[in-house]
């Protein structure tokens, strides 16, 4: 496999971003590793490469003779856990995720099969009602529930820990490292700190154990290979935290599409797998409201991880600060 005149490079909104793709030695090693991975499965590349370069990853679509394309992803050092995590999820919850063809944990490389249509593509192509989003959230919640016993194993794979009782420490670290917030916003967040500690303690007391939080589960991070079936991928922002922290991003996308009236239905669909003895519906809704607010900590931390040492300029610090300020906003549904 080699780069040639048929290779298409997409830099999106980041034309000046420096990525490993600019290094000839890295390109040669990556392309050779991809070819070896394909050969191990009896496959060979056929056609030009589509290369997508972003500050946080290199993603390459590799056409394959006689079947759908495969995808190479190079994660940054802070997201190098993604390959081993994807492989582990394929063992633990195979019906919900992709099974990688190859993983190089040391270099943060993964080779993945095609997952079918993105949910975003389906939304653009045909009428899709809120019911599809309810199915998506229900299946995702079932997966998270199944992963609760693996929480410590997830941390050993390198998935960042943002455990519910430890979220105040995450907040302190993020606020101390911020270089974007103005003095008024910083003061408002500092004043919020005692309440945030109370929210974390209450959320931990409500009896839902920590699990895997995707932290950015939107319609571009989900495949819909068949009606009513969803496959979850792109785990670079993930953390081990309260599972309900995953609800916010998905629900906000659906709310933007259909209006706020869909939120109660989405909430019910997501919470149904968590019902059980000793948990009332009111308690679960209260937990969801608390996690909705606290979910921004993992989002803020993810942006900081992807841009370590960045100054106030650029997407990382600005996005991290924006998510911190969301702590001040009330959840859009009644708690309990």
């Amino acid at each position: 496999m080699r780069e040639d005149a048929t290779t298409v490079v997409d830099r999106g909104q980041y034309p000046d971003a420096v990525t490993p793709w600019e290094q000839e030695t890295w390109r040669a090693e990556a392309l050779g590793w991809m070819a070896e991975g394909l050969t191990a499965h009896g496959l060979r590349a056929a056609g030009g490469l589509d290369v997508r370069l972003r500050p946080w990853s290199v993603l390459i679509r590799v056409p394959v003779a006689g079947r759908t394309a495969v995808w190479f992803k190079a994660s940054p050092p802070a997201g190098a856990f993604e390959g081993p995590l994807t492989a582990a999820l394929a063992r633990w919850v195979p019906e919900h995720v992709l099974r990688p063809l190859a993983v190089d944990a040391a270099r943060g490389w993964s080779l993945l099969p095609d997952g079918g249509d993105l949910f975003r593509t389906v939304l653009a192509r045909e009428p899709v009602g809120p019911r599809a989003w309810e199915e998506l959230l229900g299946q995702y919640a079932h997966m998270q529930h199944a992963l609760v016993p693996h929480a410590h194993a997830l941390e050993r794979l390198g998935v960042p820990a943002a455990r519910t009782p430890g979220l105040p420490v995450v907040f302190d670290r993020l606020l101390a490292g911020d270089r974007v917030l103005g003095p008024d916003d910083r003061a408002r967040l500092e004043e919020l700190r005692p309440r945030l500690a109370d929210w974390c303690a209450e959320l931990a007391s409500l009896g839902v154990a920590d699990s895997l939080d995707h932290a950015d589960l939107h319609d571009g991070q989900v495949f819909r290979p068949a009606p009513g079936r969803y496959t979850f991928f792109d785990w670079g922002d993930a953390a081990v935290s309260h599972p309900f922290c995953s609800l916010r991003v998905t629900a906000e996308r659906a709310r933007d599409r259909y209006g706020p009236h869909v939120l109660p239905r989405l909430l019910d669909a997501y919470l149904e797998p968590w019902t059980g003895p000793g948990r009332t519906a009111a308690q679960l809704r209260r937990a969801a409201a608390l996690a909705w607010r606290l979910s921004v900590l993992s989002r803020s931390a993810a942006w900081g991880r992807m841009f370590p040492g960045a100054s106030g300029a650029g997407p990382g610090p600005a996005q991290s600060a924006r998510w911190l300020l969301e702590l001040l906003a009330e959840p859009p549904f009644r708690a309990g």
Side-chain angles (χ1 to χ4, degrees):
M1 186 186 305
R2 59 189 175 86
E3 178 193 12
D4 58 26
T6 64
T7 299
V8 177
V9 178
D10 166 23
R11 296 180 178 272
Q13 301 178 25
Y14 306 95
D16 300 322
V18 178
T19 72
W21 182 256
E22 279 73 53
Q23 304 169 24
E24 184 176 353
T25 300
W26 186 94
R27 289 200 307 273
E29 290 179 355
L31 293 171
W33 183 82
M34 285 182 248
E36 291 175 2
L38 291 174
T39 300
H41 291 273
L43 305 173
R44 63 177 179 84
L49 305 176
D50 291 317
V51 182
R52 179 181 178 272
L53 303 180
R54 298 296 184 265
W56 51 86
S57 69
V58 175
L59 185 67
I60 303 175
R61 182 182 182 274
V62 184
V64 174
R67 56 164 285 171
T68 55
V70 302
W71 297 82
F72 166 84
K73 183 173 183 179
S75 301
F81 63 84
E82 185 175 1
L85 171 60
T86 302
L89 294 178
R91 296 192 302 271
W92 296 332
V93 286
E95 67 275 25
H96 297 296
V97 297
L98 298 174
R99 180 179 296 276
L101 302 173
V103 169
D104 187 323
R107 292 189 284 193
W109 293 353
S110 302
L111 192 64
L112 297 161
D114 188 80
D117 284 337
L118 276 178
F119 188 42
R120 177 175 294 169
T121 302
V122 176
L123 292 172
R125 185 182 64 209
E126 60 193 59
V128 177
R131 175 62 182 165
W133 295 77
E134 296 170 36
E135 293 171 341
L136 184 162
L137 280 169
Q139 290 177 31
Y140 177 74
H142 277 288
M143 182 190 71
Q144 287 184 297
H145 195 278
L147 290 172
V148 167
H150 300 286
H152 291 293
L154 290 168
E155 290 177 332
R156 289 194 294 271
L157 290 170
V159 180
R163 296 279 191 162
T164 306
L167 286 176
V169 176
V170 175
F171 170 80
D172 292 341
R173 185 176 69 246
L174 290 169
L175 196 57
D178 176 82
R179 300 293 181 269
V180 174
L181 292 166
D184 291 343
D185 286 335
R186 181 175 294 275
R188 293 168 68 200
L189 288 170
E190 289 172 345
E191 291 173 3
L192 189 69
R193 177 39 163 95
R195 292 181 64 200
L196 183 142
D198 290 341
W199 294 335
C200 295
E202 182 184 358
L203 182 57
S205 74
L206 289 172
V208 176
D210 290 337
S211 183
L212 184 63
D213 170 23
H214 186 287
D216 194 25
L217 189 66
H218 56 70
D219 50 286
Q221 313 277 44
V222 180
F223 293 115
R224 198 209 70 171
R229 181 179 163 219
Y230 299 90
T231 303
F232 308 101
F233 74 104
D234 202 342
W235 300 96
D237 292 341
V240 179
S241 192
H242 198 283
F244 293 7
C245 288
S246 290
L247 173 65
R248 178 171 182 158
V249 171
T250 317
E252 285 183 333
R253 292 296 179 97
R255 179 190 62 186
D256 292 345
R257 189 175 184 86
Y258 304 106
H261 67 280
V262 304
L263 288 178
R265 292 172 53 184
L266 297 177
L267 187 60
D268 288 344
Y270 179 76
L271 293 179
E272 190 279 330
W274 302 97
T275 58
R279 294 178 189 155
T280 67
Q283 287 173 326
L284 289 173
R285 290 181 69 86
R286 174 62 178 167
L290 292 168
W292 182 285
R293 202 162 197 163
L294 295 167
S295 66
V296 302
L297 294 173
S298 285
R299 298 293 300 122
S300 179
W303 278 98
R305 287 198 308 271
M306 296 304 165
F307 298 87
S311 66
Q319 288 289 344
S320 182
R322 183 178 72 83
W323 280 110
L324 277 180
L325 289 173
E326 285 292 316
L327 283 165
L328 302 166
E330 294 288 337
F333 55 86
R334 292 180 58 188

